[in-house]
Amino acid sequence: MPKKWLRIIEEAVNKIENDEMELGLQVLHKIGEHGKEIPEVMFCLADVWYGLGHNQEAIKIIRDLLANPTIPKEMDQEAKIMAAEIALDEADYDAAHEYLYALKEEGYEEIQLYLLLADLYAIQDLEEVAVKYLKIAHERDPDNEELRAALSEMYMKTGEVQEAINLLDEISETTFHALVLKARTFAQQGQFEEAYQLYTKAVQYEQLPEVVYGCALMSFYTDKWEEAERYIQLLIAIDEEYVIAYLLHSDILLSQGKTEAAIDALKKYVDLSGFDVEHIRRLTALLMQAGRYEESKEYQKLLEQWDLQEETNEE
């Protein structure tokens, strides 16, 4: 692609990244008008639009490129890959299927094809087919640890636990994704101490809510009350609307005999989660045990209203 066009595209992207959104978008549109006869420019432009989340702009360019019989085969195939990615993002599974199988028939053998086929079937809850394509990708790049982790996760979904564990044993635990996946797998197998060790390693890489929650839960399951409390407080500080944090916090506090604080945490959970009947009943019982009768009556009224509504719906 001519350096002039590449420089203009980079300038447009820089403007968007530096809060000159409107001006940057205007430049991109101008590139589309003046560079439409140069396939390399248009493909690069489509890639930029797609990266910015402007899927319709991107797919319009891609369709025009695919309708052009003069573009090089490599660009045609890369365009089909991008078209399939966009179709998956837009939940247009028929279109994704069409693009991906066209590539398959052309003899396209890059790993990206098999990863997208795996995504296509996994999204549609066809995990067995997704495993098939992930296995092909893994065979083509056996040293790719993220790919190994993804295949292991898919094995777990299909109930092939031993296969998943065998793959996990090969992962070096040097990546955040690998640590989280192994921790999740051990937790599902009831191996809480192993899961605790992995979650606490992962949280040193990145304090994602899911990972911090995993640290708190595994600390709770292994009777590390103070540590569990510390992780829960950290989680709430990161995301105060992470609803299940309050439910776990209540359990942690109850285990330490802190009934009043546990009630407050459970009330927060009930307020945030909506009408969770099971935990409203639990909250009502705890309030009664703590002698907070007036508050318990308020929640009891909610339960009675729910029961009445259920009876009416059944009629």
Side-chain angles (χ1 to χ4, degrees):
M1 184 172 66
K3 290 182 179 178
K4 177 188 76 171
W5 288 103
L6 183 59
R7 187 178 66 252
I8 295 170
I9 291 172
E10 287 175 348
E11 287 174 359
V13 172
N14 285 335
K15 288 183 186 301
I16 291 168
E17 290 175 347
N18 290 294
D19 296 325
E20 295 181 80
M21 177 70 74
E22 189 174 342
L23 185 56
L25 294 178
Q26 285 175 4
V27 174
L28 292 179
H29 282 295
K30 287 292 182 184
I31 293 168
E33 291 173 17
H34 298 289
K36 60 185 176 183
E37 301 302 325
I38 310 172
E40 293 86 351
V41 171
M42 297 309 289
F43 183 78
C44 184
L45 180 60
D47 191 40
V48 170
W49 280 125
Y50 181 45
L52 292 171
H54 291 244
N55 289 359
Q56 294 310 309
E57 295 283 356
I59 196 62
K60 182 181 176 184
I61 295 171
I62 290 297
R63 285 174 182 153
D64 288 343
L65 286 171
L66 292 173
N68 182 351
T70 67
I71 67 170
K73 182 179 180 180
E74 184 179 347
M75 183 182 293
D76 178 86
Q77 291 176 333
E78 289 179 2
K80 286 186 178 115
I81 286 288
M82 192 186 300
E85 290 174 332
I86 293 169
L88 286 172
D89 289 348
E90 299 290 323
D92 188 351
Y93 305 132
D94 289 339
H97 185 280
E98 183 180 336
Y99 290 122
L100 294 172
Y101 275 84
L103 285 164
K104 208 162 176 274
E105 289 172 10
E106 292 171 16
Y108 186 80
E109 289 290 329
E110 296 297 321
I111 285 177
Q112 187 66 9
L113 170 63
Y114 299 104
L115 293 176
L116 289 172
L117 282 166
D119 284 344
L120 172 63
Y121 289 108
I123 289 168
Q124 298 175 86
D125 296 325
L126 297 168
E127 285 88 358
E128 289 82 1
V129 187
V131 163
K132 168 187 162 185
Y133 288 113
L134 278 176
K135 283 173 72 176
I136 294 172
H138 177 54
E139 287 165 7
R140 279 166 164 67
D141 189 5
D143 296 326
N144 186 322
E145 293 212 334
E146 289 195 8
L147 186 51
R148 192 180 295 157
L151 178 56
S152 175
E153 190 166 20
M154 196 59 67
Y155 273 136
M156 287 297 297
K157 290 179 180 177
T158 58
E160 298 172 82
V161 177
Q162 193 54 53
E163 292 284 355
I165 291 172
N166 290 343
L167 275 176
L168 287 175
D169 287 340
E170 297 172 16
I171 294 174
S172 66
E173 298 180 12
T174 56
T175 67
F176 174 76
H177 181 71
L179 284 167
V180 174
L181 180 57
K182 290 189 81 167
R184 195 185 302 146
T185 303
F186 279 123
Q188 289 170 350
Q189 296 302 305
Q191 295 173 260
F192 302 132
E193 184 59 43
E194 291 85 348
Y196 163 82
Q197 296 295 337
L198 291 164
Y199 271 124
T200 52
K201 282 184 184 177
V203 82
Q204 294 174 37
Y205 283 84
E206 195 170 350
Q207 293 183 346
L208 289 181
E210 177 204 344
V211 178
V212 180
Y213 179 79
C215 290
L217 186 61
M218 293 307 106
S219 297
F220 174 63
Y221 283 162
T222 53
D223 299 336
K224 300 176 180 69
W225 312 121
E226 290 183 7
E227 210 165 333
E229 172 75 17
R230 190 169 72 250
Y231 281 121
I232 278 292
Q233 294 293 355
L234 173 61
L235 176 55
I236 292 170
I238 293 169
D239 184 358
E240 63 181 11
E241 294 186 0
Y242 200 83
V243 179
I244 55 174
Y246 297 98
L247 188 56
L248 177 56
H249 195 195
S250 178
D251 289 337
I252 292 167
L253 292 165
L254 276 175
S255 297
Q256 298 176 85
K258 300 176 182 177
T259 305
E260 293 292 334
I263 287 172
D264 292 339
L266 189 54
K267 284 176 71 175
K268 185 71 174 178
Y269 169 78
V270 167
D271 291 343
L272 287 173
S273 65
F275 208 88
D276 185 331
V277 176
E278 178 186 348
H279 288 98
I280 291 176
R281 289 198 176 100
R282 184 182 172 199
L283 177 57
T284 303
L286 282 173
L287 287 166
M288 288 289 289
Q289 290 172 21
R292 293 162 65 170
Y293 303 117
E294 292 304 315
E295 287 178 84
S296 72
K297 286 178 184 177
E298 292 175 18
Y299 287 103
Q300 188 60 46
K301 283 179 184 177
L302 282 176
L303 289 171
E304 289 169 359
Q305 289 171 7
W306 170 260
D307 292 339
L308 182 61
Q309 185 178 338
E310 285 291 287
E311 289 174 10
T312 304
N313 291 340
E314 288 174 5
E315 292 173 3

